[in-house]
Amino acid sequence: MEIKQYIQANEARFLDELFSLIRIPSISALPAHKEDMLACAERWRQLLLEAGADEAMVMPSEGHPLVYAEKRVSPDAPTVLVYAHYDVMPAEPLELWKTPPFEPEVRDGHIWARGADDDKGQSMIQVKAFEYLVREGLLHHNVKFIFEGEEEIGSPSLNAFLKAHKELLKADVILVSDTSMLGADLPSLTTGLRGLAYWEIEVTGPNRDLHSGHFGGAVANPINVLCDLLSKVIDADGRITVPHFYDDVEEVPAAERAMIAQIPFDEKKYMEAIGVKALKGEKGYSTLERNSCRPSFDICGIWGGYTGEGSKTVLPSKAYAKVSSRLVPHQQHEKISQLFVDYLTQQAPDYVQVKVTPMHGGEGYVCPIHHPAYQAAEKGFEKAFGKKPLAVRRGGSIPIISDFEQILGIKTILMGFGLESDAIHSPNENFSLDIFRKGIEAVVEFHLQYK
Amino acid sequence: MEIKQYIQANEARFLDELFSLIRIPSISALPAHKEDMLACAERWRQLLLEAGADEAMVMPSEGHPLVYAEKRVSPDAPTVLVYAHYDVMPAEPLELWKTPPFEPEVRDGHIWARGADDDKGQSMIQVKAFEYLVREGLLHHNVKFIFEGEEEIGSPSLNAFLKAHKELLKADVILVSDTSMLGADLPSLTTGLRGLAYWEIEVTGPNRDLHSGHFGGAVANPINVLCDLLSKVIDADGRITVPHFYDDVEEVPAAERAMIAQIPFDEKKYMEAIGVKALKGEKGYSTLERNSCRPSFDICGIWGGYTGEGSKTVLPSKAYAKVSSRLVPHQQHEKISQLFVDYLTQQAPDYVQVKVTPMHGGEGYVCPIHHPAYQAAEKGFEKAFGKKPLAVRRGGSIPIISDFEQILGIKTILMGFGLESDAIHSPNENFSLDIFRKGIEAVVEFHLQYK
């Protein structure tokens, strides 16, 4: 049976199964939902078995359990490891939902519910493509599934789990459906992600808040000093001034820059959407390059002194900032982290004490477009959407993807089917039925093409 | 009778009267004490009459009432207007007081209570010196008293009161005992105060908080921009870069710089006391000049983005700061306020919106040391303390003193007897009995000398 026919014949069941998962409010952030997490994991285990897995099990971790399943075709064939997550974000504010978040319904060709896209809907694409291949006898390689329950809270237990189960998770490539496309008729594959380094800065001036009348002008104000220090981190050309910061940054190859230039992008609309009259970034790079394959430095938070109503004069004792840098592939976050600590500490004038604490970080990720799995994914999109997907670098960080590479040594293909309008993490999350169907088609084609 | 004898003979009564005032918790900031305010004003009215005033009255204002009293000696003689305040600061934290704040007691030669110095004790010095002069027939000029009840909350009703009662308050000089000396054996007179301008700055970047991964590097971060803008306000020499900022700043005359250089000052101890390893300020000026007769620019508060626990990445929509500038005499706060608004608005890059709101301000104040009342005050200190007081400029602002000059056209002599160790506004406020006695002597001598 052709895949299109198969979907048509089985769609009611697919939705029933998806809805049975959605109805379990598997909110990883809320301790009250601990039982729901287990129930959702159990439900997935059952569905994976029904879809054709040889075995499926719920495995404990330091936090919420994971679901593992596998279908072994041949020890000589390659193995695809499908990663997904079964947890969802809290649904608040509830009053903004048109229909209750955990009572899914189909309306206007979309599924409306928390998790409709992220990630229950997208996971179901993977499972139903797998089911079709198994039932039709078309699966010619091994498939493993690992579904975690803590993605929305930063995957705190995943690293330890990966390290403990390297053998079990052994695969040739990881396949993930948890990202977005540029548009419904603009399929794309994410080939790069930025890394991250994050620091907290504490500047201490006098040992207590001082009267700005009695001391102002004679004693350094730690907020002024903090502003001076942070102001120096980016120069007039938008470049980060930390010595050796760019040492490991690979210049974006001309071919890739040409591809980025092909992405339909209306700078005027972009500015209108975020309400700014001008953009700012590193000299010599386009906006899409700046926000995806060039490093950035942002002050995420700053505080100090009097921040209440009205006007209180004070020369405060302390000033604080939280700052982060998005890194590009090949920059090592720990190295960058130390470079920044050294730089800021050296820049600190002797009239203040500056403490810089690295908070967390993650490596960037890049998937070469000549990877056989990437090419199979490309063909999948082409089959389902009628056009070749664009290779897109994303400016955000998905730490688990670089963890997969670091710990398991496996590259990941980010074959995501989300859309901006799916409103993930927000009220009225939804997922287009049309995209759901095309997604299944695309993943089927991936498996058929991947060798 | 000599003044020393008079004090000795009457001290028990002086303290009884002072304690009767202290026992009334006249906390202007707390609405629950509205009746206490009235009771305290009434008590002063009575004490001023008993001390020798021809008439005394409690006068209404938009806020707490004021006490007015006068003794007319001759229409041809000059008039001294004594300003004081009968309100006190809240006494919290109460648990840090050794004895209850509104139950005054004498211990170790000090009066311990809220208001012991600020300003009930210091006001009592004025009233008892006046009493002595009246009883001994030594008063040769007119004396008026105006005691307000809102000094500790910024004197919100005083301006309107001054404007409404210009004739009643007509005088040749204003005498105030509400400041401090350099030390118990280092009498000083405050000859200058700094003015103040205060602004709130709001920098708006994108119309909502953005994902720093998706937008970081391509969109200006308003916190980074705020830091850049504020960092430029002071140059490498510690000078304020706002154009025309220094136009009206008078260079401190060489004679006055010489006098400032005489003030005993241990820079090392100063640094130790506030816990800094180095000082910072305008090039070419000493610390005592920088914090008293040169302008300053301080960021009093800053906030924006994520300021909670841990590390959250965000490219925030807004960033805020509260900033202030201490001004020196002759700088007009409204002019400076506008200069800064213009400067910052012009500096604002087109990728953000910058809003600068002037909050409040006040002029600086300077009392020429050749003023006859200043010279009388000098003699008063010399008589009581055995040495000529140093002329000291203070870096703080007392807006009412410049208001007196602006509205009433009268210079003020700041003949204050406080000490740093009096802990005004803090738990265990106290006032030395020895200083209390010397204060009365000094004020008596002032009146005898002032012609």
Side-chain angles (χ1 to χ4, degrees):
Chain A
M1 201 192 297
E2 282 293 307
I3 177 62
K4 273 193 179 29
Q5 277 175 283
Y6 185 81
I7 294 170
Q8 206 173 358
N10 293 282
E11 190 167 277
R13 177 174 57 82
F14 290 178
L15 292 183
D16 275 353
E17 290 174 11
L18 174 58
F19 288 8
S20 73
L21 289 160
I22 288 175
R23 286 196 192 96
I24 305 168
S26 50
I27 305 166
S28 49
L30 305 177
H33 290 276
K34 195 157 181 267
E35 290 307 308
D36 291 322
M37 298 305 297
L38 195 62
C40 194
E42 265 304 330
R43 179 71 186 128
W44 264 127
R45 191 186 69 83
Q46 194 182 351
L47 288 171
L48 284 160
L49 282 175
E50 288 171 16
D54 299 331
E55 56 171 317
M57 50 190 173
V58 172
M59 297 178 74
S61 80
E62 286 163 28
H64 297 302
L66 293 94
V67 186
Y68 174 82
E70 63 175 38
K71 173 78 182 175
R72 297 201 176 267
V73 171
S74 154
D76 302 326
T79 300
V80 175
L81 173 61
V82 175
Y83 163 88
H85 64 92
Y86 68 85
D87 62 325
V88 294
M89 288 289 276
E92 282 75 14
L94 297 175
E95 65 277 16
L96 296 184
W97 286 81
K98 279 182 201 149
T99 48
F102 299 105
E103 296 173 24
E105 69 168 56
V106 172
R107 205 166 65 234
D108 309 325
H110 289 248
I111 304 158
W112 299 84
R114 169 60 81 235
D117 162 336
D118 180 19
D119 190 39
K120 289 171 178 170
Q122 293 217 49
S123 312
M124 193 53 85
I125 286 175
Q126 289 289 342
V127 176
K128 292 301 126 184
F130 168 75
E131 175 188 299
Y132 168 78
L133 293 165
V134 173
R135 296 204 182 168
E136 299 289 318
L138 298 169
L139 193 68
H140 52 70
H141 51 231
N142 309 304
V143 177
K144 296 177 175 178
F145 294 90
I146 187 74
F147 287 9
E148 75 155 317
E150 302 187 318
E151 198 271 348
E152 300 294 9
I153 54 170
S155 306
S157 317
L158 189 66
N159 264 10
F161 186 89
L162 296 180
K163 283 172 188 159
H165 299 285
K166 278 188 189 175
E167 193 53 37
L168 183 74
L169 300 171
K170 214 170 177 181
D172 296 275
V173 74
I174 296 172
L175 190 61
V176 178
S177 292
D178 194 23
T179 48
S180 292
M181 304 186 293
L182 291 172
D185 54 354
L186 213 59
S188 58
L189 271 156
T190 300
T191 54
L193 295 164
R194 290 198 285 189
L196 179 76
Y198 198 106
W199 305 266
E200 189 165 311
I201 303 168
E202 180 190 87
V203 179
T204 306
N207 53 16
R208 61 182 188 279
D209 287 0
L210 299 179
H211 191 298
S212 74
H214 300 163
F215 293 90
V219 176
N221 178 320
I223 308 183
N224 292 61
V225 176
L226 178 61
C227 287
D228 291 346
L229 287 171
L230 292 176
S231 182
K232 283 182 203 151
V233 176
I234 301 180
D235 70 13
D237 289 337
R239 302 224 355 141
I240 293 158
T241 58
V242 177
H244 303 294
F245 185 90
Y246 289 92
D247 282 5
D248 299 326
V249 172
E250 266 194 333
E251 278 305 312
V252 190
E256 191 162 356
R257 294 188 75 172
M259 212 187 289
I260 292 171
Q262 272 177 46
I263 298 172
F265 178 69
D266 184 331
E267 202 156 85
K268 200 161 157 261
K269 276 193 188 151
Y270 179 82
M271 289 196 285
E272 273 169 18
I274 58 174
V276 299
K277 285 184 190 141
L279 296 170
K280 179 181 186 275
E282 191 182 354
K283 207 174 157 179
Y285 293 90
S286 71
T287 295
L288 288 185
E289 288 165 350
R290 288 168 173 175
N291 70 14
S292 67
C293 44
R294 296 298 299 173
S296 66
F297 176 78
D298 274 289
I299 305 171
C300 297
I302 195 164
W303 70 104
Y306 181 71
T307 59
E309 284 282 304
S311 46
K312 186 189 154 188
T313 55
V314 63
L315 195 168
S317 170
K318 286 182 183 281
Y320 301 87
K322 291 176 190 273
V323 301
S324 77
S325 200
R326 295 285 170 172
L327 309 176
V328 295
H330 305 302
Q331 281 186 297
Q332 289 163 39
H333 75 91
E334 282 174 357
K335 185 175 160 189
I336 295 292
S337 191
Q338 192 56 47
L339 285 176
F340 184 76
V341 170
D342 293 346
Y343 167 76
L344 221 68
T345 313
Q346 281 155 19
Q347 291 281 313
D350 53 359
Y351 38 79
V352 293
Q353 293 160 58
V354 174
K355 196 172 126 196
V356 186
T357 310
M359 299 290 278
H360 76 239
E363 309 294 3
Y365 173 76
V366 67
C367 173
I369 58 178
H370 51 75
H371 192 289
Y374 179 84
Q375 291 174 342
E378 229 176 19
K379 285 178 187 145
F381 273 102
E382 214 169 339
K383 175 94 194 289
F385 291 84
K387 53 176 93 165
K388 196 176 165 183
L390 287 165
V392 171
R393 290 216 192 195
R394 298 283 184 178
S397 312
I398 311 184
I400 52 170
I401 305 302
S402 31
D403 289 348
F404 290 151
E405 187 160 30
Q406 311 271 309
I407 299 168
L408 304 177
I410 314 176
K411 284 280 182 194
T412 297
I413 306 297
L414 290 155
M415 206 177 171
F417 301 99
L419 291 177
E420 181 73 29
S421 54
D422 290 355
I424 64 166
H425 296 200
S426 299
N428 303 308
E429 177 174 350
N430 66 91
F431 198 40
S432 152
L433 269 179
D434 182 53
I435 301 269
F436 178 67
R437 292 171 200 133
K438 285 176 175 160
I440 298 172
E441 255 191 280
V443 175
V444 164
E445 190 65 19
F446 165 85
H447 284 290
L448 294 175
Q449 295 289 340
Y450 178 54
K451 267 145 203 142
Chain B
M1 201 192 295
E2 281 295 309
I3 177 63
K4 275 194 177 26
Q5 280 174 281
Y6 185 81
I7 294 169
Q8 207 174 356
N10 293 281
E11 189 166 280
R13 177 175 57 83
F14 291 177
L15 291 183
D16 275 354
E17 290 174 10
L18 174 58
F19 288 9
S20 73
L21 288 160
I22 289 174
R23 286 194 193 98
I24 305 168
S26 51
I27 304 166
S28 50
L30 304 177
H33 290 277
K34 197 158 181 267
E35 290 306 309
D36 292 322
M37 298 305 296
L38 195 61
C40 194
E42 266 302 330
R43 179 70 186 131
W44 263 126
R45 191 187 70 82
Q46 196 183 350
L47 288 171
L48 284 160
L49 282 174
E50 288 171 17
D54 298 330
E55 56 172 317
M57 51 191 172
V58 173
M59 296 177 75
S61 79
E62 286 164 28
H64 296 303
L66 293 94
V67 186
Y68 175 82
E70 63 175 37
K71 173 76 182 176
R72 298 202 175 267
V73 170
S74 154
D76 301 326
T79 301
V80 174
L81 172 62
V82 176
Y83 163 89
H85 65 92
Y86 67 86
D87 62 326
V88 294
M89 287 290 277
E92 282 76 12
L94 297 175
E95 65 278 15
L96 296 184
W97 286 81
K98 279 182 202 151
T99 49
F102 299 106
E103 296 172 25
E105 69 168 57
V106 173
R107 205 165 66 234
D108 308 326
H110 289 248
I111 305 157
W112 299 84
R114 169 59 80 236
D117 163 335
D118 180 20
D119 188 38
K120 289 171 177 170
Q122 293 219 50
S123 313
M124 193 53 85
I125 286 175
Q126 289 289 342
V127 175
K128 294 300 126 185
F130 168 74
E131 175 189 298
Y132 168 77
L133 293 165
V134 172
R135 297 206 180 166
E136 297 290 318
L138 296 169
L139 194 66
H140 53 70
H141 50 232
N142 309 304
V143 177
K144 296 177 177 179
F145 294 90
I146 186 75
F147 287 9
E148 74 155 319
E150 302 187 319
E151 199 270 348
E152 300 294 10
I153 53 170
S155 306
S157 317
L158 189 65
N159 263 12
F161 186 89
L162 296 179
K163 283 173 188 159
H165 300 283
K166 278 187 188 176
E167 193 52 39
L168 183 76
L169 300 171
K170 215 169 175 179
D172 296 277
V173 73
I174 296 171
L175 189 62
V176 178
S177 293
D178 194 23
T179 48
S180 293
M181 304 186 296
L182 290 171
D185 56 354
L186 214 59
S188 58
L189 271 155
T190 301
T191 54
L193 295 164
R194 289 198 286 189
L196 180 75
Y198 198 106
W199 305 265
E200 189 166 310
I201 303 168
E202 180 191 88
V203 179
T204 306
N207 53 15
R208 62 183 188 278
D209 287 1
L210 299 179
H211 190 297
S212 74
H214 300 163
F215 293 90
V219 176
N221 178 321
I223 308 183
N224 291 62
V225 176
L226 178 61
C227 288
D228 292 346
L229 287 171
L230 292 175
S231 181
K232 283 182 201 151
V233 177
I234 300 179
D235 71 13
D237 289 338
R239 302 219 2 135
I240 293 160
T241 58
V242 178
H244 304 292
F245 185 91
Y246 289 92
D247 282 5
D248 300 325
V249 172
E250 267 193 332
E251 278 303 314
V252 190
E256 191 162 357
R257 296 189 75 171
M259 211 186 288
I260 292 170
Q262 274 177 42
I263 299 172
F265 178 71
D266 185 332
E267 202 155 84
K268 200 160 158 262
K269 276 192 188 154
Y270 179 83
M271 290 195 286
E272 273 168 20
I274 58 174
V276 298
K277 284 185 190 141
L279 297 170
K280 180 182 186 272
E282 191 182 354
K283 205 174 160 181
Y285 294 90
S286 72
T287 295
L288 288 185
E289 289 166 348
R290 287 168 175 175
N291 70 14
S292 67
C293 45
R294 295 299 297 174
S296 66
F297 177 79
D298 274 292
I299 305 172
C300 297
I302 195 165
W303 70 104
Y306 181 72
T307 59
E309 283 282 303
S311 47
K312 185 189 156 188
T313 55
V314 63
L315 194 168
S317 170
K318 286 180 184 281
Y320 302 86
K322 291 177 191 273
V323 302
S324 77
S325 200
R326 296 284 170 173
L327 308 176
V328 295
H330 305 302
Q331 281 187 298
Q332 289 163 40
H333 74 90
E334 282 174 355
K335 185 176 159 187
I336 295 292
S337 192
Q338 190 57 46
L339 285 177
F340 184 76
V341 171
D342 293 347
Y343 168 76
L344 220 68
T345 313
Q346 280 155 21
Q347 292 281 313
D350 53 358
Y351 38 79
V352 293
Q353 294 160 59
V354 174
K355 197 173 124 194
V356 187
T357 310
M359 299 291 277
H360 76 239
E363 309 294 3
Y365 173 76
V366 68
C367 173
I369 58 178
H370 51 73
H371 191 290
Y374 179 83
Q375 290 175 340
E378 229 176 19
K379 286 176 186 147
F381 273 103
E382 215 168 339
K383 175 93 190 293
F385 291 86
K387 54 175 91 164
K388 196 176 164 183
L390 287 166
V392 171
R393 291 216 192 194
R394 297 285 184 176
S397 312
I398 312 185
I400 52 172
I401 306 302
S402 31
D403 289 348
F404 291 152
E405 187 160 31
Q406 313 270 310
I407 299 168
L408 303 177
I410 314 176
K411 283 281 183 194
T412 297
I413 307 295
L414 291 155
M415 206 175 171
F417 302 98
L419 291 177
E420 181 74 29
S421 55
D422 289 356
I424 65 165
H425 296 198
S426 298
N428 303 308
E429 178 175 349
N430 66 91
F431 198 39
S432 153
L433 269 178
D434 182 53
I435 300 272
F436 179 67
R437 293 172 199 130
K438 285 178 175 157
I440 298 172
E441 256 192 279
V443 175
V444 163
E445 191 64 17
F446 165 85
H447 284 290
L448 294 175
Q449 295 288 343
Y450 178 52
K451 266 142 203 147

